[in-house]
PDB file of all heavy atoms in Angstrom:
ATOM      1  N   ILE A   1       4.080  -0.899  -4.660  1.00  0.00           N
ATOM      2  CA  ILE A   1       3.251   0.056  -3.922  1.00  0.00           C
ATOM      3  C   ILE A   1       4.111   1.197  -3.394  1.00  0.00           C
ATOM      4  O   ILE A   1       3.687   2.363  -3.401  1.00  0.00           O
ATOM      5  CB  ILE A   1       2.504  -0.647  -2.767  1.00  0.00           C
ATOM      6  CG1 ILE A   1       1.504  -1.659  -3.334  1.00  0.00           C
ATOM      7  CG2 ILE A   1       1.769   0.377  -1.903  1.00  0.00           C
ATOM      8  CD1 ILE A   1       0.682  -2.378  -2.299  1.00  0.00           C
ATOM      9  N   GLU A   2       5.332   0.889  -2.963  1.00  0.00           N
ATOM     10  CA  GLU A   2       6.247   1.931  -2.502  1.00  0.00           C
ATOM     11  C   GLU A   2       6.544   2.912  -3.635  1.00  0.00           C
ATOM     12  O   GLU A   2       6.538   4.137  -3.431  1.00  0.00           O
ATOM     13  CB  GLU A   2       7.538   1.292  -2.000  1.00  0.00           C
ATOM     14  CG  GLU A   2       8.548   2.300  -1.467  1.00  0.00           C
ATOM     15  CD  GLU A   2       9.850   1.645  -1.041  1.00  0.00           C
ATOM     16  OE1 GLU A   2      10.112   0.498  -1.462  1.00  0.00           O
ATOM     17  OE2 GLU A   2      10.607   2.294  -0.290  1.00  0.00           O
ATOM     18  N   ASP A   3       6.776   2.393  -4.836  1.00  0.00           N
ATOM     19  CA  ASP A   3       7.048   3.239  -5.999  1.00  0.00           C
ATOM     20  C   ASP A   3       5.838   4.117  -6.321  1.00  0.00           C
ATOM     21  O   ASP A   3       5.976   5.312  -6.608  1.00  0.00           O
ATOM     22  CB  ASP A   3       7.399   2.359  -7.199  1.00  0.00           C
ATOM     23  CG  ASP A   3       7.752   3.171  -8.436  1.00  0.00           C
ATOM     24  OD1 ASP A   3       8.890   3.676  -8.506  1.00  0.00           O
ATOM     25  OD2 ASP A   3       6.870   3.312  -9.315  1.00  0.00           O
ATOM     26  N   PHE A   4       4.653   3.520  -6.257  1.00  0.00           N
ATOM     27  CA  PHE A   4       3.419   4.258  -6.521  1.00  0.00           C
ATOM     28  C   PHE A   4       3.244   5.406  -5.528  1.00  0.00           C
ATOM     29  O   PHE A   4       2.929   6.545  -5.906  1.00  0.00           O
ATOM     30  CB  PHE A   4       2.230   3.295  -6.440  1.00  0.00           C
ATOM     31  CG  PHE A   4       0.888   3.962  -6.330  1.00  0.00           C
ATOM     32  CD1 PHE A   4       0.313   4.581  -7.426  1.00  0.00           C
ATOM     33  CD2 PHE A   4       0.204   3.988  -5.116  1.00  0.00           C
ATOM     34  CE1 PHE A   4      -0.931   5.206  -7.324  1.00  0.00           C
ATOM     35  CE2 PHE A   4      -1.041   4.598  -5.009  1.00  0.00           C
ATOM     36  CZ  PHE A   4      -1.599   5.216  -6.110  1.00  0.00           C
ATOM     37  N   ILE A   5       3.464   5.121  -4.251  1.00  0.00           N
ATOM     38  CA  ILE A   5       3.292   6.144  -3.219  1.00  0.00           C
ATOM     39  C   ILE A   5       4.324   7.263  -3.386  1.00  0.00           C
ATOM     40  O   ILE A   5       3.996   8.455  -3.266  1.00  0.00           O
ATOM     41  CB  ILE A   5       3.376   5.521  -1.811  1.00  0.00           C
ATOM     42  CG1 ILE A   5       2.164   4.611  -1.568  1.00  0.00           C
ATOM     43  CG2 ILE A   5       3.441   6.601  -0.728  1.00  0.00           C
ATOM     44  CD1 ILE A   5       2.229   3.794  -0.294  1.00  0.00           C
ATOM     45  N   ASN A   6       5.549   6.903  -3.677  1.00  0.00           N
ATOM     46  CA  ASN A   6       6.596   7.921  -3.863  1.00  0.00           C
ATOM     47  C   ASN A   6       6.296   8.837  -5.043  1.00  0.00           C
ATOM     48  O   ASN A   6       6.611  10.030  -5.012  1.00  0.00           O
ATOM     49  CB  ASN A   6       7.954   7.251  -4.070  1.00  0.00           C
ATOM     50  CG  ASN A   6       8.535   6.700  -2.782  1.00  0.00           C
ATOM     51  OD1 ASN A   6       8.265   7.218  -1.697  1.00  0.00           O
ATOM     52  ND2 ASN A   6       9.331   5.644  -2.882  1.00  0.00           N
ATOM     53  N   ASN A   7       5.678   8.280  -6.093  1.00  0.00           N
ATOM     54  CA  ASN A   7       5.392   9.068  -7.295  1.00  0.00           C
ATOM     55  C   ASN A   7       4.096   9.864  -7.192  1.00  0.00           C
ATOM     56  O   ASN A   7       4.034  11.012  -7.624  1.00  0.00           O
ATOM     57  CB  ASN A   7       5.318   8.149  -8.518  1.00  0.00           C
ATOM     58  CG  ASN A   7       6.687   7.676  -8.962  1.00  0.00           C
ATOM     59  OD1 ASN A   7       7.640   8.443  -8.971  1.00  0.00           O
ATOM     60  ND2 ASN A   7       6.806   6.403  -9.312  1.00  0.00           N
ATOM     61  N   LEU A   8       3.044   9.251  -6.627  1.00  0.00           N
ATOM     62  CA  LEU A   8       1.723   9.888  -6.616  1.00  0.00           C
ATOM     63  C   LEU A   8       1.384  10.579  -5.311  1.00  0.00           C
ATOM     64  O   LEU A   8       0.522  11.456  -5.278  1.00  0.00           O
ATOM     65  CB  LEU A   8       0.651   8.847  -6.940  1.00  0.00           C
ATOM     66  CG  LEU A   8       0.371   8.603  -8.424  1.00  0.00           C
ATOM     67  CD1 LEU A   8      -0.134   9.876  -9.099  1.00  0.00           C
ATOM     68  CD2 LEU A   8       1.547   8.026  -9.158  1.00  0.00           C
ATOM     69  N   LYS A   9       1.982  10.144  -4.212  1.00  0.00           N
ATOM     70  CA  LYS A   9       1.740  10.703  -2.888  1.00  0.00           C
ATOM     71  C   LYS A   9       0.247  10.782  -2.519  1.00  0.00           C
ATOM     72  O   LYS A   9      -0.286  11.863  -2.264  1.00  0.00           O
ATOM     73  CB  LYS A   9       2.382  12.090  -2.766  1.00  0.00           C
ATOM     74  CG  LYS A   9       3.899  12.059  -2.829  1.00  0.00           C
ATOM     75  CD  LYS A   9       4.495  13.385  -2.439  1.00  0.00           C
ATOM     76  CE  LYS A   9       6.015  13.350  -2.475  1.00  0.00           C
ATOM     77  NZ  LYS A   9       6.580  12.384  -1.537  1.00  0.00           N
ATOM     78  N   PRO A  10      -0.448   9.641  -2.484  1.00  0.00           N
ATOM     79  CA  PRO A  10      -1.847   9.659  -2.050  1.00  0.00           C
ATOM     80  C   PRO A  10      -1.942   9.919  -0.544  1.00  0.00           C
ATOM     81  O   PRO A  10      -1.101   9.452   0.231  1.00  0.00           O
ATOM     82  CB  PRO A  10      -2.333   8.246  -2.397  1.00  0.00           C
ATOM     83  CG  PRO A  10      -1.096   7.402  -2.308  1.00  0.00           C
ATOM     84  CD  PRO A  10       0.028   8.276  -2.786  1.00  0.00           C
ATOM     85  N   ALA A  11      -2.949  10.660  -0.138  1.00  0.00           N
ATOM     86  CA  ALA A  11      -3.120  10.948   1.291  1.00  0.00           C
ATOM     87  C   ALA A  11      -3.565   9.703   2.050  1.00  0.00           C
ATOM     88  O   ALA A  11      -3.240   9.529   3.227  1.00  0.00           O
ATOM     89  CB  ALA A  11      -4.152  12.064   1.476  1.00  0.00           C
ATOM     90  N   VAL A  12      -4.322   8.834   1.359  1.00  0.00           N
ATOM     91  CA  VAL A  12      -4.893   7.640   1.997  1.00  0.00           C
ATOM     92  C   VAL A  12      -4.708   6.446   1.070  1.00  0.00           C
ATOM     93  O   VAL A  12      -4.840   6.572  -0.149  1.00  0.00           O
ATOM     94  CB  VAL A  12      -6.404   7.837   2.289  1.00  0.00           C
ATOM     95  CG1 VAL A  12      -7.019   6.566   2.859  1.00  0.00           C
ATOM     96  CG2 VAL A  12      -6.628   9.004   3.232  1.00  0.00           C
ATOM     97  N   LEU A  13      -4.421   5.280   1.648  1.00  0.00           N
ATOM     98  CA  LEU A  13      -4.392   4.028   0.895  1.00  0.00           C
ATOM     99  C   LEU A  13      -5.263   3.020   1.627  1.00  0.00           C
ATOM    100  O   LEU A  13      -5.009   2.685   2.786  1.00  0.00           O
ATOM    101  CB  LEU A  13      -2.963   3.483   0.764  1.00  0.00           C
ATOM    102  CG  LEU A  13      -2.832   2.110   0.084  1.00  0.00           C
ATOM    103  CD1 LEU A  13      -3.335   2.167  -1.353  1.00  0.00           C
ATOM    104  CD2 LEU A  13      -1.382   1.629   0.113  1.00  0.00           C
ATOM    105  N   LEU A  14      -6.315   2.547   0.937  1.00  0.00           N
ATOM    106  CA  LEU A  14      -7.224   1.555   1.506  1.00  0.00           C
ATOM    107  C   LEU A  14      -6.902   0.186   0.920  1.00  0.00           C
ATOM    108  O   LEU A  14      -6.722   0.044  -0.287  1.00  0.00           O
ATOM    109  CB  LEU A  14      -8.678   1.924   1.204  1.00  0.00           C
ATOM    110  CG  LEU A  14      -9.148   3.305   1.672  1.00  0.00           C
ATOM    111  CD1 LEU A  14     -10.622   3.519   1.299  1.00  0.00           C
ATOM    112  CD2 LEU A  14      -8.955   3.469   3.172  1.00  0.00           C
ATOM    113  N   VAL A  15      -6.855  -0.818   1.785  1.00  0.00           N
ATOM    114  CA  VAL A  15      -6.491  -2.174   1.378  1.00  0.00           C
ATOM    115  C   VAL A  15      -7.523  -3.150   1.923  1.00  0.00           C
ATOM    116  O   VAL A  15      -7.923  -3.045   3.087  1.00  0.00           O
ATOM    117  CB  VAL A  15      -5.090  -2.554   1.902  1.00  0.00           C
ATOM    118  CG1 VAL A  15      -4.694  -3.950   1.435  1.00  0.00           C
ATOM    119  CG2 VAL A  15      -4.047  -1.525   1.463  1.00  0.00           C
ATOM    120  N   GLY A  16      -7.962  -4.074   1.094  1.00  0.00           N
ATOM    121  CA  GLY A  16      -8.891  -5.097   1.553  1.00  0.00           C
ATOM    122  C   GLY A  16      -8.217  -6.037   2.547  1.00  0.00           C
ATOM    123  O   GLY A  16      -7.050  -6.401   2.373  1.00  0.00           O
ATOM    124  N   ALA A  17      -8.936  -6.429   3.588  1.00  0.00           N
ATOM    125  CA  ALA A  17      -8.366  -7.314   4.615  1.00  0.00           C
ATOM    126  C   ALA A  17      -8.440  -8.770   4.164  1.00  0.00           C
ATOM    127  O   ALA A  17      -9.008  -9.633   4.824  1.00  0.00           O
ATOM    128  CB  ALA A  17      -9.088  -7.122   5.942  1.00  0.00           C
ATOM    129  N   THR A  18      -7.846  -9.034   3.003  1.00  0.00           N
ATOM    130  CA  THR A  18      -7.737 -10.392   2.487  1.00  0.00           C
ATOM    131  C   THR A  18      -6.388 -10.964   2.931  1.00  0.00           C
ATOM    132  O   THR A  18      -5.608 -10.281   3.597  1.00  0.00           O
ATOM    133  CB  THR A  18      -7.805 -10.396   0.956  1.00  0.00           C
ATOM    134  OG1 THR A  18      -6.699  -9.620   0.450  1.00  0.00           O
ATOM    135  CG2 THR A  18      -9.103  -9.763   0.456  1.00  0.00           C
ATOM    136  N   THR A  19      -6.104 -12.193   2.540  1.00  0.00           N
ATOM    137  CA  THR A  19      -4.810 -12.788   2.885  1.00  0.00           C
ATOM    138  C   THR A  19      -3.665 -11.959   2.317  1.00  0.00           C
ATOM    139  O   THR A  19      -2.672 -11.695   2.999  1.00  0.00           O
ATOM    140  CB  THR A  19      -4.727 -14.234   2.354  1.00  0.00           C
ATOM    141  OG1 THR A  19      -5.833 -14.978   2.856  1.00  0.00           O
ATOM    142  CG2 THR A  19      -3.443 -14.898   2.794  1.00  0.00           C
ATOM    143  N   VAL A  20      -3.818 -11.533   1.068  1.00  0.00           N
ATOM    144  CA  VAL A  20      -2.781 -10.706   0.426  1.00  0.00           C
ATOM    145  C   VAL A  20      -2.712  -9.328   1.076  1.00  0.00           C
ATOM    146  O   VAL A  20      -1.636  -8.828   1.412  1.00  0.00           O
ATOM    147  CB  VAL A  20      -3.047 -10.568  -1.084  1.00  0.00           C
ATOM    148  CG1 VAL A  20      -2.137  -9.523  -1.711  1.00  0.00           C
ATOM    149  CG2 VAL A  20      -2.850 -11.910  -1.785  1.00  0.00           C
ATOM    150  N   GLY A  21      -3.862  -8.709   1.264  1.00  0.00           N
ATOM    151  CA  GLY A  21      -3.904  -7.365   1.845  1.00  0.00           C
ATOM    152  C   GLY A  21      -3.300  -7.294   3.233  1.00  0.00           C
ATOM    153  O   GLY A  21      -2.600  -6.341   3.578  1.00  0.00           O
ATOM    154  N   ARG A  22      -3.550  -8.325   4.025  1.00  0.00           N
ATOM    155  CA  ARG A  22      -3.015  -8.344   5.393  1.00  0.00           C
ATOM    156  C   ARG A  22      -1.509  -8.580   5.416  1.00  0.00           C
ATOM    157  O   ARG A  22      -0.851  -8.308   6.420  1.00  0.00           O
ATOM    158  CB  ARG A  22      -3.737  -9.418   6.211  1.00  0.00           C
ATOM    159  CG  ARG A  22      -5.133  -8.985   6.639  1.00  0.00           C
ATOM    160  CD  ARG A  22      -5.875 -10.085   7.338  1.00  0.00           C
ATOM    161  NE  ARG A  22      -7.092  -9.559   7.954  1.00  0.00           N
ATOM    162  CZ  ARG A  22      -8.154 -10.286   8.227  1.00  0.00           C
ATOM    163  NH1 ARG A  22      -8.156 -11.583   7.948  1.00  0.00           N
ATOM    164  NH2 ARG A  22      -9.215  -9.750   8.811  1.00  0.00           N
ATOM    165  N   SER A  23      -0.962  -9.095   4.331  1.00  0.00           N
ATOM    166  CA  SER A  23       0.498  -9.240   4.222  1.00  0.00           C
ATOM    167  C   SER A  23       1.136  -7.945   3.733  1.00  0.00           C
ATOM    168  O   SER A  23       2.197  -7.528   4.224  1.00  0.00           O
ATOM    169  CB  SER A  23       0.849 -10.373   3.250  1.00  0.00           C
ATOM    170  OG  SER A  23       0.356 -11.610   3.698  1.00  0.00           O
ATOM    171  N   LEU A  24       0.481  -7.308   2.776  1.00  0.00           N
ATOM    172  CA  LEU A  24       1.045  -6.114   2.147  1.00  0.00           C
ATOM    173  C   LEU A  24       1.000  -4.874   3.044  1.00  0.00           C
ATOM    174  O   LEU A  24       1.999  -4.160   3.180  1.00  0.00           O
ATOM    175  CB  LEU A  24       0.281  -5.804   0.862  1.00  0.00           C
ATOM    176  CG  LEU A  24       0.768  -6.416  -0.443  1.00  0.00           C
ATOM    177  CD1 LEU A  24      -0.198  -6.067  -1.562  1.00  0.00           C
ATOM    178  CD2 LEU A  24       2.161  -5.922  -0.789  1.00  0.00           C
ATOM    179  N   ALA A  25      -0.153  -4.601   3.613  1.00  0.00           N
ATOM    180  CA  ALA A  25      -0.365  -3.337   4.327  1.00  0.00           C
ATOM    181  C   ALA A  25       0.666  -3.072   5.428  1.00  0.00           C
ATOM    182  O   ALA A  25       1.212  -1.961   5.511  1.00  0.00           O
ATOM    183  CB  ALA A  25      -1.790  -3.284   4.873  1.00  0.00           C
ATOM    184  N   PRO A  26       0.977  -4.048   6.299  1.00  0.00           N
ATOM    185  CA  PRO A  26       1.968  -3.766   7.354  1.00  0.00           C
ATOM    186  C   PRO A  26       3.351  -3.443   6.805  1.00  0.00           C
ATOM    187  O   PRO A  26       4.058  -2.595   7.349  1.00  0.00           O
ATOM    188  CB  PRO A  26       1.994  -5.071   8.167  1.00  0.00           C
ATOM    189  CG  PRO A  26       0.725  -5.780   7.841  1.00  0.00           C
ATOM    190  CD  PRO A  26       0.415  -5.399   6.428  1.00  0.00           C
ATOM    191  N   ARG A  27       3.746  -4.104   5.715  1.00  0.00           N
ATOM    192  CA  ARG A  27       5.065  -3.844   5.135  1.00  0.00           C
ATOM    193  C   ARG A  27       5.133  -2.441   4.537  1.00  0.00           C
ATOM    194  O   ARG A  27       6.147  -1.757   4.657  1.00  0.00           O
ATOM    195  CB  ARG A  27       5.387  -4.891   4.065  1.00  0.00           C
ATOM    196  CG  ARG A  27       5.754  -6.250   4.664  1.00  0.00           C
ATOM    197  CD  ARG A  27       5.967  -7.283   3.585  1.00  0.00           C
ATOM    198  NE  ARG A  27       6.406  -8.544   4.159  1.00  0.00           N
ATOM    199  CZ  ARG A  27       7.660  -8.985   4.187  1.00  0.00           C
ATOM    200  NH1 ARG A  27       8.606  -8.250   3.657  1.00  0.00           N
ATOM    201  NH2 ARG A  27       7.965 -10.143   4.730  1.00  0.00           N
ATOM    202  N   VAL A  28       4.062  -2.042   3.879  1.00  0.00           N
ATOM    203  CA  VAL A  28       4.030  -0.695   3.303  1.00  0.00           C
ATOM    204  C   VAL A  28       4.071   0.344   4.418  1.00  0.00           C
ATOM    205  O   VAL A  28       4.813   1.333   4.341  1.00  0.00           O
ATOM    206  CB  VAL A  28       2.769  -0.510   2.436  1.00  0.00           C
ATOM    207  CG1 VAL A  28       2.648   0.935   1.962  1.00  0.00           C
ATOM    208  CG2 VAL A  28       2.799  -1.454   1.239  1.00  0.00           C
TER     209      VAL A  28
END
Protein backbone atom coordinates (compact mmCIF):
# COMPACT_ATOMS: atom_id res chain seq x y z
CA ILE A 1 0.00 0.00 0.00
CA GLU A 2 2.92 2.34 0.72
CA ASP A 3 4.30 1.64 -2.77
CA PHE A 4 0.88 2.24 -4.32
CA ILE A 5 0.46 5.57 -2.52
CA ASN A 6 3.96 6.75 -3.44
CA ASN A 7 3.33 5.95 -7.12
CA LEU A 8 -0.31 7.01 -7.55
CA LYS A 9 -0.74 9.64 -4.82
CA PRO A 10 -4.48 9.19 -4.16
CA ALA A 11 -6.08 12.02 -2.20
CA VAL A 12 -8.21 9.56 -0.20
CA LEU A 13 -7.87 5.90 0.80
CA LEU A 14 -10.96 4.11 2.13
CA VAL A 15 -10.53 0.85 4.05
CA GLY A 16 -13.17 -1.55 5.31
CA ALA A 17 -13.26 -1.86 9.11
CA THR A 18 -12.60 -5.59 8.99
CA THR A 19 -9.97 -7.44 11.02
CA VAL A 20 -7.46 -6.94 8.21
CA GLY A 21 -8.48 -3.34 7.52
CA ARG A 22 -8.17 -2.34 11.15
CA SER A 23 -4.62 -3.72 11.19
CA LEU A 24 -3.53 -2.12 7.93
CA ALA A 25 -4.98 1.38 8.12
CA PRO A 26 -3.13 2.59 11.27
CA ARG A 27 0.22 1.36 9.93
CA VAL A 28 -0.28 3.11 6.61
